[in-house]
Amino acid sequence: MVQRVANAEHQATCYCKVQRSSRAYRPCGQYAAIGGTLDGADSNTSCGDGTEPNSAGAWTAKSTTVWGRTVELRYNGTTACAWGRIIGGTVGDEIWVDRSSDNGQTWEPMLGCTTVTSGGDGYTTQWNDNGMVMRACGTSGKGGTIACTGRY
């Protein structure tokens, strides 16, 4: 099971502890997509974890670049949802969001992890951001350089 990890050296290299009793770490690209629920997704004013993003009225809250690719944290204030988007990438690039309920001291990692399978753009599912901080992270291919946006 994926555990939250401290925002120290593990956050910087984006390695996530697999089990509390284990010292084994896996690079982010080795995690399968983490699913969500449809709870709360029945109206345009709420957010269900792991659902399709509602881009109506959404904007880019934070962005960064990694090897010419733009990694964005997208936000919809009406639904209090956030998701990640990568633009200008290539097949094999990855995008995901991390969420924190303690202002970045620990992270719920790899939410909506998505690999670009065609073209150069991709996005994650949306995740409830109400009372949380989030960031988007992306790679230049599996096992490539990781860059994360600032917190929002």
Side-chain angles (χ1 to χ4, degrees):
M1 180 173 182
V2 177
Q3 299 290 320
R4 292 182 181 188
V5 293
N7 188 21
E9 71 274 5
H10 304 299
Q11 178 270 330
T13 59
C14 202
Y15 278 51
C16 306
K17 194 168 186 176
V18 178
Q19 297 177 4
R20 180 172 285 191
S21 61
S22 170
R23 289 213 174 283
Y25 290 86
R26 281 204 245 166
C28 295
Q30 293 179 0
Y31 282 107
I34 298 174
T37 69
L38 295 175
D39 295 341
D42 53 356
S43 73
N44 192 37
T45 59
S46 60
C47 179
D49 280 348
T51 58
E52 265 310 290
N54 179 351
S55 61
W59 52 282
T60 301
K62 297 284 182 174
S63 67
T64 190
T65 58
V66 56
W67 290 99
R69 297 134 172 91
T70 301
V71 174
E72 297 178 331
L73 179 67
R74 302 281 294 162
Y75 183 74
N76 184 322
T78 302
T79 61
C81 279
W83 62 93
R85 180 168 71 176
I86 191 165
I87 299 171
T90 59
V91 171
D93 288 355
E94 297 173 318
I95 183 77
W96 65 90
V97 292
D98 297 333
R99 177 170 62 182
S100 175
S101 61
D102 58 11
N103 202 30
Q105 295 301 305
T106 60
W107 293 97
E108 196 177 348
M110 302 296 297
L111 302 174
C113 185
T114 301
T115 301
V116 176
T117 57
S118 65
D121 301 339
Y123 62 91
T124 70
T125 49
Q126 66 183 0
W127 297 83
N128 193 315
D129 184 53
N130 195 11
M132 312 257 192
V133 294
M134 295 186 72
R135 66 182 178 189
C137 299
T139 67
S140 56
K142 188 170 185 171
T145 303
I146 297 169
C148 295
T149 66
R151 300 183 282 226
Y152 179 81

